[in-house]
PDB file of all heavy atoms in Angstrom:
ATOM      1  N   ASN A1230      38.625 -59.470 -19.165  1.00 92.00           N
ATOM      2  CA  ASN A1230      40.021 -59.236 -19.515  1.00 92.00           C
ATOM      3  C   ASN A1230      40.857 -60.448 -19.133  1.00 92.00           C
ATOM      4  O   ASN A1230      40.437 -61.293 -18.347  1.00 92.00           O
ATOM      5  CB  ASN A1230      40.556 -57.976 -18.828  1.00 92.00           C
ATOM      6  CG  ASN A1230      40.811 -58.192 -17.350  1.00 92.00           C
ATOM      7  OD1 ASN A1230      41.862 -58.685 -16.949  1.00 92.00           O
ATOM      8  ND2 ASN A1230      39.832 -57.815 -16.518  1.00 92.00           N
ATOM      9  N   ASN A1231      42.051 -60.527 -19.715  1.00 91.00           N
ATOM     10  CA  ASN A1231      43.011 -61.557 -19.320  1.00 91.00           C
ATOM     11  C   ASN A1231      44.364 -60.941 -18.982  1.00 91.00           C
ATOM     12  O   ASN A1231      45.427 -61.493 -19.278  1.00 91.00           O
ATOM     13  CB  ASN A1231      43.162 -62.613 -20.416  1.00 91.00           C
ATOM     14  CG  ASN A1231      43.758 -62.039 -21.692  1.00 91.00           C
ATOM     15  OD1 ASN A1231      43.927 -60.828 -21.828  1.00 91.00           O
ATOM     16  ND2 ASN A1231      44.088 -62.915 -22.632  1.00 91.00           N
ATOM     17  N   ILE A1232      44.330 -59.758 -18.354  1.00 88.00           N
ATOM     18  CA  ILE A1232      45.559 -59.061 -17.965  1.00 88.00           C
ATOM     19  C   ILE A1232      45.615 -58.862 -16.457  1.00 88.00           C
ATOM     20  O   ILE A1232      46.123 -57.855 -15.956  1.00 88.00           O
ATOM     21  CB  ILE A1232      45.697 -57.716 -18.701  1.00 88.00           C
ATOM     22  CG1 ILE A1232      44.488 -56.813 -18.436  1.00 88.00           C
ATOM     23  CG2 ILE A1232      45.881 -57.927 -20.190  1.00 88.00           C
ATOM     24  CD1 ILE A1232      44.658 -55.408 -18.983  1.00 88.00           C
ATOM     25  N   ASN A1233      45.057 -59.823 -15.712  1.00 83.00           N
ATOM     26  CA  ASN A1233      45.182 -59.858 -14.248  1.00 83.00           C
ATOM     27  C   ASN A1233      44.472 -58.715 -13.543  1.00 83.00           C
ATOM     28  O   ASN A1233      44.916 -58.257 -12.488  1.00 83.00           O
ATOM     29  CB  ASN A1233      46.656 -59.880 -13.824  1.00 83.00           C
ATOM     30  CG  ASN A1233      47.348 -61.172 -14.213  1.00 83.00           C
ATOM     31  OD1 ASN A1233      46.840 -61.932 -15.033  1.00 83.00           O
ATOM     32  ND2 ASN A1233      48.502 -61.442 -13.631  1.00 83.00           N
ATOM     33  N   GLN A1234      43.362 -58.248 -14.083  1.00 77.00           N
ATOM     34  CA  GLN A1234      42.536 -57.266 -13.385  1.00 77.00           C
ATOM     35  C   GLN A1234      41.271 -57.975 -12.902  1.00 77.00           C
ATOM     36  O   GLN A1234      40.467 -58.421 -13.705  1.00 77.00           O
ATOM     37  CB  GLN A1234      42.170 -56.098 -14.300  1.00 77.00           C
ATOM     38  CG  GLN A1234      43.343 -55.209 -14.629  1.00 77.00           C
ATOM     39  CD  GLN A1234      42.916 -53.927 -15.320  1.00 77.00           C
ATOM     40  OE1 GLN A1234      41.732 -53.642 -15.454  1.00 77.00           O
ATOM     41  NE2 GLN A1234      43.885 -53.152 -15.756  1.00 77.00           N
ATOM     42  N   PHE A1235      41.118 -58.074 -11.586  1.00 66.00           N
ATOM     43  CA  PHE A1235      39.996 -58.807 -11.014  1.00 66.00           C
ATOM     44  C   PHE A1235      38.695 -58.061 -11.220  1.00 66.00           C
ATOM     45  O   PHE A1235      38.663 -56.832 -11.271  1.00 66.00           O
ATOM     46  CB  PHE A1235      40.217 -59.041  -9.523  1.00 66.00           C
ATOM     47  CG  PHE A1235      41.347 -59.985  -9.237  1.00 66.00           C
ATOM     48  CD1 PHE A1235      42.332 -59.649  -8.329  1.00 66.00           C
ATOM     49  CD2 PHE A1235      41.439 -61.194  -9.893  1.00 66.00           C
ATOM     50  CE1 PHE A1235      43.372 -60.515  -8.057  1.00 66.00           C
ATOM     51  CE2 PHE A1235      42.466 -62.067  -9.630  1.00 66.00           C
ATOM     52  CZ  PHE A1235      43.446 -61.728  -8.713  1.00 66.00           C
ATOM     53  N   GLY A1236      37.603 -58.843 -11.281  1.00 55.00           N
ATOM     54  CA  GLY A1236      36.301 -58.270 -11.561  1.00 55.00           C
ATOM     55  C   GLY A1236      35.522 -57.845 -10.345  1.00 55.00           C
ATOM     56  O   GLY A1236      34.440 -57.311 -10.467  1.00 55.00           O
ATOM     57  N   PHE A1237      36.054 -58.070  -9.139  1.00 49.00           N
ATOM     58  CA  PHE A1237      35.288 -57.667  -7.964  1.00 49.00           C
ATOM     59  C   PHE A1237      36.213 -57.358  -6.802  1.00 49.00           C
ATOM     60  O   PHE A1237      37.417 -57.598  -6.848  1.00 49.00           O
ATOM     61  CB  PHE A1237      34.250 -58.718  -7.563  1.00 49.00           C
ATOM     62  CG  PHE A1237      34.800 -60.094  -7.307  1.00 49.00           C
ATOM     63  CD1 PHE A1237      35.085 -60.516  -6.032  1.00 49.00           C
ATOM     64  CD2 PHE A1237      35.002 -60.963  -8.363  1.00 49.00           C
ATOM     65  CE1 PHE A1237      35.572 -61.789  -5.802  1.00 49.00           C
ATOM     66  CE2 PHE A1237      35.480 -62.244  -8.139  1.00 49.00           C
ATOM     67  CZ  PHE A1237      35.769 -62.654  -6.856  1.00 49.00           C
ATOM     68  N   SER A1238      35.644 -56.789  -5.766  1.00 51.00           N
ATOM     69  CA  SER A1238      36.412 -56.256  -4.649  1.00 51.00           C
ATOM     70  C   SER A1238      36.201 -57.095  -3.393  1.00 51.00           C
ATOM     71  O   SER A1238      35.415 -58.030  -3.361  1.00 51.00           O
ATOM     72  CB  SER A1238      35.966 -54.819  -4.371  1.00 51.00           C
ATOM     73  OG  SER A1238      34.635 -54.818  -3.896  1.00 51.00           O
ATOM     74  N   PHE A1239      36.907 -56.731  -2.339  1.00 50.00           N
ATOM     75  CA  PHE A1239      36.765 -57.418  -1.066  1.00 50.00           C
ATOM     76  C   PHE A1239      35.358 -57.249  -0.505  1.00 50.00           C
ATOM     77  O   PHE A1239      34.811 -58.152   0.118  1.00 50.00           O
ATOM     78  CB  PHE A1239      37.796 -56.862  -0.076  1.00 50.00           C
ATOM     79  CG  PHE A1239      37.683 -57.482   1.288  1.00 50.00           C
ATOM     80  CD1 PHE A1239      38.026 -58.798   1.496  1.00 50.00           C
ATOM     81  CD2 PHE A1239      37.219 -56.745   2.367  1.00 50.00           C
ATOM     82  CE1 PHE A1239      37.926 -59.379   2.740  1.00 50.00           C
ATOM     83  CE2 PHE A1239      37.109 -57.306   3.614  1.00 50.00           C
ATOM     84  CZ  PHE A1239      37.468 -58.631   3.806  1.00 50.00           C
ATOM     85  N   ARG A1240      34.752 -56.087  -0.735  1.00 52.00           N
ATOM     86  CA  ARG A1240      33.386 -55.866  -0.255  1.00 52.00           C
ATOM     87  C   ARG A1240      32.422 -56.850  -0.925  1.00 52.00           C
ATOM     88  O   ARG A1240      31.498 -57.356  -0.295  1.00 52.00           O
ATOM     89  CB  ARG A1240      32.968 -54.428  -0.558  1.00 52.00           C
ATOM     90  CG  ARG A1240      31.564 -54.086  -0.073  1.00 52.00           C
ATOM     91  CD  ARG A1240      31.512 -54.005   1.431  1.00 52.00           C
ATOM     92  NE  ARG A1240      30.350 -54.661   1.962  1.00 52.00           N
ATOM     93  CZ  ARG A1240      29.977 -54.621   3.229  1.00 52.00           C
ATOM     94  NH1 ARG A1240      30.696 -53.962   4.102  1.00 52.00           N
ATOM     95  NH2 ARG A1240      28.909 -55.229   3.641  1.00 52.00           N
ATOM     96  N   ASP A1241      32.661 -57.141  -2.209  1.00 46.00           N
ATOM     97  CA  ASP A1241      31.839 -58.137  -2.894  1.00 46.00           C
ATOM     98  C   ASP A1241      31.963 -59.493  -2.203  1.00 46.00           C
ATOM     99  O   ASP A1241      30.974 -60.206  -2.025  1.00 46.00           O
ATOM    100  CB  ASP A1241      32.264 -58.287  -4.359  1.00 46.00           C
ATOM    101  CG  ASP A1241      31.972 -57.046  -5.172  1.00 46.00           C
ATOM    102  OD1 ASP A1241      30.921 -56.436  -4.940  1.00 46.00           O
ATOM    103  OD2 ASP A1241      32.792 -56.692  -6.013  1.00 46.00           O
ATOM    104  N   TYR A1242      33.187 -59.850  -1.833  1.00 46.00           N
ATOM    105  CA  TYR A1242      33.391 -61.140  -1.169  1.00 46.00           C
ATOM    106  C   TYR A1242      32.583 -61.218   0.127  1.00 46.00           C
ATOM    107  O   TYR A1242      31.974 -62.238   0.426  1.00 46.00           O
ATOM    108  CB  TYR A1242      34.876 -61.340  -0.883  1.00 46.00           C
ATOM    109  CG  TYR A1242      35.158 -62.585  -0.063  1.00 46.00           C
ATOM    110  CD1 TYR A1242      35.138 -63.837  -0.658  1.00 46.00           C
ATOM    111  CD2 TYR A1242      35.425 -62.493   1.297  1.00 46.00           C
ATOM    112  CE1 TYR A1242      35.389 -64.979   0.084  1.00 46.00           C
ATOM    113  CE2 TYR A1242      35.669 -63.628   2.052  1.00 46.00           C
ATOM    114  CZ  TYR A1242      35.657 -64.861   1.439  1.00 46.00           C
ATOM    115  OH  TYR A1242      35.894 -65.980   2.176  1.00 46.00           O
ATOM    116  N   ILE A1243      32.584 -60.151   0.903  1.00 47.00           N
ATOM    117  CA  ILE A1243      31.801 -60.114   2.133  1.00 47.00           C
ATOM    118  C   ILE A1243      30.319 -60.320   1.809  1.00 47.00           C
ATOM    119  O   ILE A1243      29.617 -61.092   2.461  1.00 47.00           O
ATOM    120  CB  ILE A1243      32.000 -58.780   2.869  1.00 47.00           C
ATOM    121  CG1 ILE A1243      33.473 -58.619   3.278  1.00 47.00           C
ATOM    122  CG2 ILE A1243      31.103 -58.687   4.087  1.00 47.00           C
ATOM    123  CD1 ILE A1243      33.956 -59.619   4.299  1.00 47.00           C
ATOM    124  N   ASP A1244      29.835 -59.622   0.762  1.00 41.00           N
ATOM    125  CA  ASP A1244      28.428 -59.754   0.381  1.00 41.00           C
ATOM    126  C   ASP A1244      28.114 -61.164  -0.109  1.00 41.00           C
ATOM    127  O   ASP A1244      27.045 -61.716   0.173  1.00 41.00           O
ATOM    128  CB  ASP A1244      28.079 -58.736  -0.709  1.00 41.00           C
ATOM    129  CG  ASP A1244      28.016 -57.322  -0.163  1.00 41.00           C
ATOM    130  OD1 ASP A1244      27.857 -57.167   1.057  1.00 41.00           O
ATOM    131  OD2 ASP A1244      28.145 -56.374  -0.949  1.00 41.00           O
ATOM    132  N   PHE A1245      29.026 -61.764  -0.881  1.00 36.00           N
ATOM    133  CA  PHE A1245      28.798 -63.106  -1.385  1.00 36.00           C
ATOM    134  C   PHE A1245      28.646 -64.110  -0.245  1.00 36.00           C
ATOM    135  O   PHE A1245      27.992 -65.138  -0.396  1.00 36.00           O
ATOM    136  CB  PHE A1245      29.956 -63.557  -2.278  1.00 36.00           C
ATOM    137  CG  PHE A1245      30.090 -62.755  -3.535  1.00 36.00           C
ATOM    138  CD1 PHE A1245      31.308 -62.665  -4.179  1.00 36.00           C
ATOM    139  CD2 PHE A1245      29.011 -62.074  -4.067  1.00 36.00           C
ATOM    140  CE1 PHE A1245      31.441 -61.928  -5.326  1.00 36.00           C
ATOM    141  CE2 PHE A1245      29.138 -61.328  -5.218  1.00 36.00           C
ATOM    142  CZ  PHE A1245      30.360 -61.249  -5.845  1.00 36.00           C
TER     143      PHE A1245
END
Side-chain angles (χ1 to χ4, degrees):
N1230 74 84
N1231 65 352
I1232 57 172
N1233 293 16
Q1234 290 191 6
F1235 292 130
F1237 56 97
S1238 67
F1239 178 69
R1240 181 71 224 188
D1241 293 322
Y1242 174 77
I1243 298 294
D1244 288 340
F1245 295 155

